[in-house]
Amino acid sequence: MVRAAVWLPVTGPALETLERARRRAQRRGGGPIFPLHLTLLSGIETTPEGGAEKLRSLAARLSPFAVKLGRIDWREERYRCLFVSAEPSTALTAAQRLACEIFAAHPSGPFEPHVSLLYGDIGDELKKQIAAELGGRLDLVLTADSVQLVEASAQRPVEEWRTLSERALGAAAP
């Protein structure tokens, strides 16, 4: 069994802009380097094979869709230290609900889609300064065109997170 998450990886033209923002944020706030992504679902317990099969099913039932990013925000949570909020569009919330259905998961809280720029534990004043230095917003549109099953959990060091499976959205499940 592995503890895993379902991610929409950041790709395409927005990746470069988000990478630059993350590098600037990490120079000021530290923290580990991790793949830029939007989490659809976390805390899954599955086998790699079972998870890959469920990911195939999820990908086959979704078509690529746009995700709008905007305000840079922060929380007093390690994995939401500094992030860019995503608009909870119909397509994005439907993808998250479908992931929950297929993986038989029940999220512990409301779906608050975002792309993290910084993981860690730094003070609110520094988070506010970094957000201001980044312009307070990153108005970008991502194209969600694939999903990943990633072995990632709070119990595993970020440096050891690894992609177990990736599928293109709209790809027919064999």
Side-chain angles (χ1 to χ4, degrees):
M1 295 294 281
V2 294
R3 291 190 54 87
V6 176
W7 289 358
L8 297 173
V10 175
T11 60
L15 179 59
E16 186 177 325
T17 301
L18 286 165
E19 282 285 3
R20 270 195 315 271
R22 179 177 59 185
R23 282 193 301 273
R24 288 182 66 190
Q26 286 179 318
R27 276 196 297 274
R28 293 287 313 278
I33 294 174
F34 51 90
L36 291 168
H37 64 279
L38 188 151
T39 302
L40 284 180
L41 184 61
S42 61
I44 302 165
E45 291 192 7
T46 185
T47 63
E49 301 79 19
E53 185 57 37
K54 289 176 182 177
L55 193 74
R56 254 191 296 282
S57 177
L58 176 63
R61 293 176 60 186
L62 294 172
S63 296
F65 59 93
V67 177
K68 292 181 183 178
L69 299 181
R71 183 172 180 217
I72 298 174
D73 211 341
W74 57 89
R75 297 260 173 88
E76 288 188 27
E77 297 174 32
R78 176 172 172 70
Y79 299 109
R80 290 191 205 188
C81 181
L82 189 73
F83 59 91
V84 184
S85 294
E87 181 181 299
S89 67
T90 302
L92 182 55
T93 55
Q96 193 261 351
R97 279 195 305 272
L98 185 58
C100 289
E101 176 186 315
I102 289 172
F103 282 88
H106 304 285
S108 58
F111 182 47
E112 298 175 319
H114 65 279
V115 175
S116 289
L117 297 174
L118 193 63
Y119 290 165
D121 183 22
I122 61 174
D124 281 350
E125 191 55 41
L126 181 53
K127 292 175 197 176
K128 187 185 297 186
Q129 289 172 12
I130 295 169
E133 289 170 11
L134 295 173
R137 299 186 62 81
L138 288 174
D139 291 312
L140 300 168
V141 177
L142 310 176
T143 299
D145 56 10
S146 67
V147 286
Q148 295 176 327
L149 180 69
V150 180
E151 186 174 13
S153 70
Q155 293 76 31
R156 186 178 186 91
V158 173
E159 298 79 13
E160 293 179 14
W161 290 0
R162 64 188 177 106
T163 301
L164 301 172
S165 182
E166 182 168 0
R167 299 295 288 195
L169 298 188

